[in-house]
Amino acid sequence: MIPAAFAYERAGSVDEALAMLGSDEDAKLLAGGHSLIPLLRLRFARPSTLIDIGRLSELRYVREDDDRIAIGALTRHADLVRDPVLAAHCPLISDAAAGIGDAQVRHRGTIGGSIAHGDPASDLATIVLTLDADLVVRGPNGERTIPAAEFFTGMFETALAREEILTEIRVSKVQEGTYLKIARRSEDWATVGVAAARVEGRVQVGLTSMGATPLRARSVEDALAGGATSSDAATHTADGTSPPSDVSGSGEYRAHLAQVLVRRALEQL
Ligand code: FAD
């Protein structure tokens, strides 16, 4: 389908984008466009104006920041795949980004767009939740930081206010981590994805496409902390989840698949 008519503006800076957002309550940010443009074509989204922030180089970086890593929200998936800082200090992010979509998606899609969109099937949203990332946002009243655990509030809903821009993602340096994903077709969205990482001595586990938001498998984490084996801990994978049934698989199938992937991921740590 053809999108409804909209105006197009390209922001030259974050401040300019914030001013544009503030002056038009029906405007929407455009980053890589790989989630928003399909919604426009289906007319599920009908913004008055698209504010293009995709070329703001001030938000495209990966930097070491003492014991943490700071990633600009407009860093593209392909940048994450080959970034040397991530390769040295958080290879889990590069590995997960390498499995997103196809080359075209990875060269346009951004980590900020993946997180801000609030899609429970987003691979990087699960990763930032698993790593307890801090999400830095800027709005008309300045900057604030939202813990990833408080960011994903519902299906395609987040704690971002309408006039705010996600600017940076901060994660701890984590050497041991893995992301396993099963998709029906190669280069597709996850039917189920599982992240596992050792963060400050504790194993943390995240789930993709197992509910309305990216989820933490807290019961698995607690079982491991209590001394359970990987296999025993994995039996708790579906606790508190609500896996959907759709063309990619039934909820029951997803619950089984997630348990298998959690066991495999834990065995790889
Ligand atoms: P956009 O589409 O530009 O924006 C998405 C939403 O986020 C919009 O509402 C926009 O206003 C908002 N937004 C964007 N940036 C910001 C910001 N900095 N601050 C505040 N709001 C912002 N993803 C996966 O995780 N795994 C996959 O396997 C996968 N496969 C895909 C396959 C195809 C064919 C396609 C088209 C997409 C796929 N994606 C997949 C999605 C892809 O990763 C998208 O790029 C991503 O979800 C959105 O990022 P974007 O930069 O394109 O955001």
Side-chain angles (χ1 to χ4, degrees):
M1 270 175 64
I2 299 171
F6 56 83
Y8 172 87
E9 306 273 359
R10 184 182 297 162
S13 66
V14 174
D15 287 340
E16 202 180 331
L18 286 171
M20 290 173 177
L21 269 181
S23 65
D24 180 349
E25 65 178 28
D26 291 324
K28 240 181 153 15
L29 297 170
L30 177 74
H34 271 61
S35 290
L36 182 54
I37 288 178
L39 292 181
L40 297 180
R41 291 173 65 94
L42 292 165
R43 300 203 176 193
F44 289 155
R46 300 171 71 123
S48 53
T49 305
L50 282 188
I51 302 168
D52 189 350
I53 56 171
R55 297 184 205 191
L56 292 184
S57 53
E58 64 184 290
L59 294 186
R60 190 174 174 186
Y61 56 83
V62 180
R63 294 184 196 128
E64 261 187 280
D65 185 7
D66 292 330
D67 58 344
R68 307 203 85 193
I69 301 167
I71 305 172
L74 288 170
T75 308
R76 298 181 184 188
H77 306 326
D79 300 331
L80 302 174
V81 174
R82 52 178 178 245
D83 186 82
V85 173
L86 291 176
H89 300 296
C90 201
L92 170 61
I93 293 179
S94 306
D95 293 347
I100 293 176
D102 53 26
Q104 186 180 347
V105 174
R106 291 192 293 276
H107 279 85
R108 296 295 307 176
T110 65
I111 184 170
S114 288
I115 295 167
H117 193 49
D119 188 338
S122 162
D123 300 311
L124 292 175
T126 298
I127 300 293
V128 297
L129 182 67
T130 305
L131 296 179
D132 280 330
D134 283 325
L135 305 176
V136 182
V137 308
R138 276 176 58 188
N141 301 320
E143 188 175 282
R144 66 184 179 122
T145 299
I146 308 173
E150 296 170 16
F151 190 80
F152 303 102
T153 53
M155 188 168 284
F156 299 108
E157 288 176 7
T158 71
L160 264 180
R162 197 200 63 76
E163 294 179 15
E164 287 181 322
I165 299 178
L166 174 61
T167 54
E168 187 174 271
I169 296 94
R170 294 185 187 147
V171 292
S172 300
K173 293 179 178 173
V174 169
Q175 296 297 341
E176 285 181 84
T178 187
Y179 185 66
L180 302 180
K181 161 177 168 177
I182 297 282
R184 283 184 75 205
R185 302 168 298 187
S186 78
E187 303 186 323
D188 206 351
W189 298 86
T191 300
V192 168
V194 166
R198 200 178 300 277
V199 183
E200 292 169 8
R202 184 178 158 94
V203 175
Q204 302 189 168
V205 180
L207 305 171
T208 305
S209 296
M210 283 292 285
T213 63
L215 295 172
R216 281 283 285 276
R218 303 272 181 197
S219 301
V220 175
E221 297 176 8
D222 292 343
L224 289 168
T229 62
S230 298
S231 181
D232 286 346
T235 62
H236 295 284
T237 299
D239 293 1
T241 67
S242 49
S245 293
D246 58 25
V247 289
S248 296
S250 66
E252 193 182 359
Y253 171 70
R254 280 192 161 91
H256 172 73
L257 189 56
Q259 178 174 332
V260 172
L261 292 183
V262 165
R263 177 178 51 74
R264 288 183 190 166
L266 295 176
E267 287 169 355
Q268 286 183 19
L269 287 185

